[in-house]
Amino acid sequence: MKKFFERLHIKLFGKKYYPEDYNFNEKEISTESFPLLALRDLVLFPDTVISIFIKQSSDIAAIDEARLRENRLFASCIVKDETNPLANEHCKTGTVIRIINRLKLPDNTYRVLIQCEYRGVIISSSNQHGVALVKVEPLKTTGLNDPLSDDDLALMRSVQKSFAQYAEYSRRISGDTLAAVEKTENPERLANLICNSVYLKPEKKTELLGFADTRQRLHEILETLERENQIYGIQKNISGKVKSRMDKRHREYILNEQLKEINKELGKDKIEDEFVILENRIAEKKPPQEVLEKTAKEIKRLRKLQPFSPEAGVLRTYLEWIADLPWSSFTVDAGDLVEAEKILDEDHFGMEKAKERIIEFIAVRQLIGNEEQNKNEQPGDLAALSLIPDTVPINSPLPNSIKGPILCFVGPPGTGKTSLGKSVARALGREFVRISLGGVRDEAEIRGHRKTYVGALPGKIIQSMRKAQTVNPVFLLDEIDKLSWDFRGDPASALLEVLDPEQNSTFTDHYLEVQYDLSKVMFLTTANSLHSIPYPLLDRMEIIEVPGYGENEKLSIAKQFLVPKELRNNGLNTAQITFRDDTLKDIIRYWTMESGVRNLERETARCIRRIARDAVNKGYGKDKPISEFKKTVKPASLEKLLGRKKYKRDLVYREARVGVTYGLAWTEYGGTIMPVETIRYDGSGELLITGNLGDVMKESVRIALSYLRSAGGKYNFSLDALSKSDFHIHVPEGAIPKDGPSAGITLASSLLSTLCKVPPLPCIAMTGEITLTGRVLPIGGLKEKLLAAIRNGMETVLLPRDNEEHWNELDKEIRSSVKVEFLETAADVFERLFPKEIIKKKSTRP
């Protein structure tokens, strides 16, 4: 044992070993104070020498304090609460240690060689200059008599035998330690050597350190060793079975290789195996050189594996994905602008901005294609021939063209954003693929899983590319604003590379592990709102607004698209069914209230189904041909076909009322009217706000009230009324959350009407943010708000002056349907909204 420590000391510190430094046989057993060394997951036992690293600042301070106390400390293990070692019951027992040598490292940490002297128990603690000091009482051992009885000697020998078996199983016990355990005759020393050598959890070692009864301690050590030996035995048995199974597979592999050689000698090797077929399939797709090298390496690995091994199945599936993906095949874009415009107009009404952008893209592609063709047309040069046919061969190289745009169609539901993607693909002559991103929370849905995982697959991007079978499809990412994130990652961040034209040429799916070029793909995205899309993702897209439809636009859509479609779907396409214009307008006004046409389509389909039932009841389609059935749908028959009216505009009063004004709001589902009601009653100036309003809207109420206080000398109300009255402001439909600053002028007008007891002029709506100085700031969603005003029968709309240029961009139909006045200040709004009686008359002095 002495030689072992001598070698350890010279190896660690390069010094000669001095036995007197260790004092194995001299222990100062007394109650005294020591610095506390709180070790992490390390339990020290007496009769051992060990080298440890000290990194924690508190432990370094304890080491420095030990210099003043004969280099002695009290070491205790932390196994539960690292923030407060003294709060842990297992930390009460530890070991008094002596520092033999310390070595300060360049990073201000210590490498310390320590001698463990005896066990002790903390009886009190204190803190001195940031160092924890503990008063320790030696642990008094009991249970064994001197000389040892036969039972005690038998117990010691059982422990030594069990430890020898443990050393044989684990193969991590040194020969010196095993020899020291077998030769020792001291029960305490035997227990300490074994506890220090075995590999147990710190909790268990701390428990073994705390036994005062030596006989009980040896029994516990014996039980622990026997349990560990039993576990090792089971593990060895399992390892033997696995090794036997692996030997069997190896034998099968050798036999299969011998069978291949036998078939080769018999001339049966001409049959092409699956690996050659797989190599040819991948080569036919002409992938990049990086992919060819990767697949060649994986096929080489696959040849060496057993056919039914799990790893072989993973590799085979991976190579099948590589072989199925399009690497070079593409479609030639249509160059006929007139035909493209015709297709877009056939499928969708309106959407001028979106259609113009698609036509621009086709025109640019046509110019670039002609330029490349002129460059390649050389005498005797056959390279230009690949641009002449209408369909390009799969193996033809992809022409060097512009990168696919990233377009984002933003608008209310039911305006045709999703179906526009199919029309774009048809107009371009490309393949169309679509994935829905609504509710996607897992980043692996975009980038895929590592192929080492069970059931791993590529992400939705690569799966859709395999479905398209071309490298330049029209790719629709639907509902991109509905993405979410949780502990599985952020799919919106994973889309940053996909939707960046400068990066998506080197897109890497986790499953493929090779780069895939997405730069030729035309990505289209749809969203109802831009607010929930992260800005880095939004910055990569070209935003195209798809606004809601007016009444006349809905009428045209119903006549040109919806009614003919539903007649075909319900078997009445040959019947003589006529919907009058006033009938369709009544459906739009009283059975739908939306910016899109989805509900209009539902109500039209419901009406046609009722007509189809009546036709069948009259014998058409069975006894009579359906082409003879005639019906003209009139407004008077709508309640019979569709039931009672759903929308009656109950929130809008046709007569003027004190304290009631009408604002305009924009939501993800389009524009809506927003009445504001205010009442005043005696009180102490309290302001009550209801209607499920957000923080921004509540701030607008306070701004409006403050502005009226400052302008009180101009209008016909008393400032004392503000301090002696309570005001209750309510926005109806309290179940619907409302927020935003654009209701500021509406709230101020409602408060002024209540204070002056003068009703505003009827059938006037307004919108705009108000400031403390009375300025009216511009708003967004102008078209949606105006459509809401038109739907609810408003005759005049008051808008901020800065929105005048947006008004000029709107359709003539909307501009002719409502009167709009542009105002700059709240005073201008009040002058237009109220009669002159609200202005306070100036007093004249004699």
Side-chain angles (χ1 to χ4, degrees), residues 725-742:
S725 301
D726 289 345
F727 296 90
H728 186 169
I729 299 177
H730 176 66
V731 181
E733 295 184 340
I736 302 175
K738 311 168 190 71
D739 202 3
S742 62

Side-chain angles (χ1 to χ4, degrees), residues 286-446:
K286 291 191 175 180
Q289 186 63 30
E290 175 195 5
V291 179
L292 290 175
E293 293 175 358
K294 173 74 173 177
T295 54
K297 181 180 178 181
E298 297 298 338
I299 290 176
K300 185 177 180 181
R301 286 181 55 202
L302 183 60
R303 289 178 180 272
K304 297 178 181 179
L305 296 173
Q306 293 300 314
F308 300 105
S309 65
E311 188 176 359
V314 170
L315 283 179
R316 191 175 289 107
T317 304
Y318 171 76
L319 293 170
E320 290 286 346
W321 271 100
I322 297 290
D324 290 342
L325 284 175
W327 295 97
S328 58
S329 58
F330 64 96
T331 55
V332 176
D333 290 342
D336 191 345
L337 298 183
V338 177
E339 182 65 23
E341 289 185 31
K342 180 181 177 182
I343 292 174
L344 293 175
D345 290 337
E346 284 178 357
D347 294 345
H348 290 84
F349 182 86
M351 298 188 180
E352 300 302 329
K353 290 184 179 180
K355 293 178 181 178
E356 288 176 4
R357 182 64 181 86
I358 302 305
I359 299 301
E360 291 170 2
F361 176 73
I362 297 175
V364 173
R365 289 300 296 261
Q366 185 177 5
L367 291 176
I368 292 179
N370 291 337
E371 183 179 351
E372 291 175 350
Q373 184 173 358
N374 294 332
K375 289 181 180 179
N376 293 329
E377 285 180 351
Q378 301 292 338
D381 188 3
L382 299 179
L385 295 178
S386 62
L387 296 176
I388 296 176
D390 294 334
T391 57
V392 177
I394 287 180
N395 295 332
S396 298
L398 186 65
N400 187 15
S401 58
I402 61 173
K403 296 178 180 178
I406 315 294
L407 306 181
C408 181
F409 300 131
V410 182
T415 52
K417 301 183 298 298
T418 302
S419 59
L420 181 61
K422 296 181 181 179
S423 299
V424 171
R426 195 158 71 92
L428 288 172
R430 295 189 179 192
E431 296 293 330
F432 175 76
V433 289
R434 169 189 170 272
I435 62 174
S436 178
L437 299 178
V440 173
R441 296 172 177 267
D442 192 352
E443 179 186 346
E445 293 287 336
I446 307 299

Side-chain angles (χ1 to χ4, degrees), residues 14 21 62 136 155 183 191 217 253 281 302 363 391 401 466 471 512 518 522 591 643 655 664 669 671 716 823:
D21 290 341
V136 177
L155 176 60
K183 293 179 180 178
R217 188 184 185 195
Y253 172 78
R281 284 180 57 194
L302 183 60
T391 57
S401 58
R466 183 177 75 164
V471 297
L512 295 185
L518 296 175
M522 184 176 188
W591 277 271
E655 69 278 3
L664 298 173
Y669 308 102
N716 194 17
L823 305 169

Side-chain angles (χ1 to χ4, degrees), residues 629-642:
F629 180 69
K630 298 180 182 181
K631 186 174 181 62
T632 299
V633 185
K634 301 177 182 180
S637 60
L638 283 179
E639 291 199 7
K640 180 180 178 182
L641 294 172
L642 299 177

Side-chain angles (χ1 to χ4, degrees), residues 801-816:
R801 176 71 65 183
D802 292 338
N803 283 114
E804 188 169 2
E805 58 183 20
H806 301 98
W807 163 260
N808 295 328
E809 296 177 358
L810 295 178
D811 300 334
K812 292 182 180 180
E813 177 198 344
I814 296 178
R815 289 188 289 174
S816 61

